[in-house]
Amino acid sequence: MAISTKLIAIACLLALLSCSVQGQLSTTFYARSCKNVEHIVRSVVAQAVKKEPRMGASIVRLFFHDCFVQGCDASILLDAAPGIATEKNSFGNINSARGFEVIDAIKQQVERACKATVSCADILALAARDSVRLLGGPTWAMPLGRRDSRTANLGEANQLPAPFFSLSQLNASFAAKGLNFQDLTVLSGAHTVGSAICSAFNNRVWGGDNNIDNSFALQNRQTCPTSGGDTQLSPLTIPNTNRFSNQFYKNLVARKGLLHSDQELFNGGFTDALVRKYSNDAKSFFNDFTVSMVKLDNIGVLTGRSGKVRLNCRKVN
């Protein structure tokens, strides 16, 4: 009886350990099953960024918007279908989320190399990391092993941090995902690359904010009229070099943040000190960015049988 009880206890322990390992991400997850996956992703992203440097910023944004809705599960990639209200139609994604075709191209190549093995969630995570690196930013070891969701969540996608958010709203939004004010400040630094549509900053440059450099406001009014032109683009950071750097923070200190939500990070609040630090120390920004990205990478991930490996990132198998 004692031996039987002991064997049962050991079996239960092994089962728990098995579940624990299954539920963990690992930088060597595809070492045997798809050893070339990172090379494939990097190659396709490099071609896309070479063709259009802005695409790198778009892929990073796509990843951020994915992780903030249900976790990093590639739900943002799902098209509308019966039972699926696509996140692509949310306020923060419609007419602005980009990069889906790049992810499609990566997935097609990965499927040819390793059938039904690599998730769309991992592909998107790797593509975001490689986009940062290709634009001159830092890189990091990417934990892998995510699975894809079977659902999308339009309602939650409509609650993504908005360009008109206050610092307290931004902080609350990030805190809800397990991220602190340093993560908020450093991840916002991804706005050192990319562009914003006129409707996201129109109010700010036309008198809605008083914490804006006058010449900067006048400059952006030329491409963003008081009415119409909502889809016109302006770079998030000037000068627009399409290089990942700490210029974003220098702009904030100079009151040249394009979005109201960005300038909130340097407006007499609790993130001012970090903004000033990063504006003077690109190395600290890069180091802290990698730490916060790994935290972002791990939000709400699905592993093992809790998710699927989609064969087509746009639809459920």
Side-chain angles (χ1 to χ4, degrees), residues 51 53 55 89 111 118 127 130 152 159 197 210 222 247 257 301:
K51 181 179 180 181
M55 185 55 70
N89 289 337
E111 283 298 307
V118 181
D130 292 344
Q159 298 173 28
I197 57 175
N210 57 17
Q222 295 177 18
Q247 185 61 41
V301 296

Side-chain angles (χ1 to χ4, degrees), residues 2-314:
I3 294 176
S4 177
T5 303
K6 187 175 181 180
L7 289 174
I8 292 173
I10 292 173
C12 290
L13 177 60
L14 289 174
L16 286 171
L17 288 173
S18 175
C19 290
S20 175
V21 171
Q22 184 184 41
Q24 291 177 348
L25 302 184
S26 168
T27 56
T28 59
F29 189 83
Y30 298 113
R32 293 186 178 181
S33 59
C34 195
K35 62 182 181 180
N36 291 326
V37 61
E38 295 197 36
H39 172 75
I40 294 171
V41 174
R42 190 178 306 113
S43 176
V44 177
V45 173
Q47 293 174 24
V49 171
K50 183 178 181 181
K51 181 179 180 181
E52 184 193 5
R54 180 184 165 221
M55 185 55 70
S58 296
I59 291 174
V60 174
R61 182 175 185 264
L62 195 63
F63 179 61
F64 177 87
H65 281 206
D66 181 49
C67 292
F68 257 59
V69 179
Q70 296 190 159
C72 307
D73 62 358
S75 60
I76 195 172
L77 304 179
L78 287 170
D79 285 340
I84 294 179
T86 178
E87 294 167 21
K88 297 176 183 180
N89 289 337
S90 71
F91 301 134
N93 290 328
I94 194 166
N95 297 324
S96 64
R98 308 170 69 244
F100 300 107
E101 293 79 9
V102 177
I103 304 303
D104 290 341
I106 297 171
K107 181 62 172 175
Q108 289 169 8
Q109 289 198 25
V110 170
E111 283 298 307
R112 284 197 290 268
C114 318
K115 183 71 173 178
T117 301
V118 181
S119 67
C120 299
D122 275 345
I123 286 173
L124 182 54
L126 287 169
R129 181 198 64 179
D130 292 344
S131 292
V132 171
R133 181 56 180 160
L134 288 164
L135 293 173
T139 190
W140 56 95
M142 176 64 72
L144 299 169
R146 297 167 190 78
R147 289 292 184 257
D148 300 323
S149 69
R150 301 175 177 85
T151 61
N153 192 326
L154 178 60
E156 191 175 347
N158 279 326
Q159 298 173 28
L160 284 164
F164 53 79
F165 268 21
S166 66
L167 180 58
S168 62
Q169 287 175 306
L170 290 169
N171 193 50
S173 181
F174 274 66
K177 303 302 177 183
L179 302 173
N180 59 34
F181 76 91
Q182 179 166 334
D183 299 316
L184 160 63
T185 308
V186 73
L187 291 174
S188 296
H191 284 178
T192 194
V193 290
S195 303
I197 57 175
C198 173
S199 58
F201 61 87
N202 181 292
N203 184 66
R204 173 163 166 75
V205 301
W206 283 99
D209 291 349
N210 57 17
N211 60 347
I212 185 169
D213 177 81
N214 187 56
S215 63
F216 178 72
L218 290 173
Q219 176 186 344
N220 281 283
R221 288 176 186 176
Q222 295 177 18
T223 55
C224 187
T226 53
S227 62
D230 284 354
T231 58
Q232 294 282 1
L233 296 172
S234 282
L236 285 163
T237 296
I238 57 169
N240 181 25
T241 62
N242 285 314
R243 300 297 293 171
F244 201 93
S245 71
N246 66 334
Q247 185 61 41
F248 169 76
Y249 301 103
K250 295 179 180 180
N251 281 11
L252 296 186
V253 172
R255 298 191 306 157
K256 294 181 179 179
L258 183 64
L259 306 180
H260 171 85
S261 54
D262 283 345
Q263 193 61 56
E264 281 286 284
L265 298 175
F266 193 80
N267 192 36
F270 52 85
T271 54
D272 279 18
L274 273 174
V275 170
R276 196 174 291 281
K277 173 187 176 182
Y278 294 144
S279 72
N280 293 317
D281 190 348
K283 184 177 180 180
S284 288
F285 164 49
F286 278 24
N287 289 339
D288 291 348
F289 186 83
T290 62
V291 173
S292 291
M293 280 298 288
V294 171
K295 289 177 69 175
L296 177 69
D297 296 342
N298 280 273
I299 293 177
V301 296
L302 302 174
T303 57
R305 295 180 180 177
S306 61
K308 301 287 288 184
V309 174
R310 285 189 228 133
L311 303 182
N312 180 331
C313 293
R314 292 177 180 263

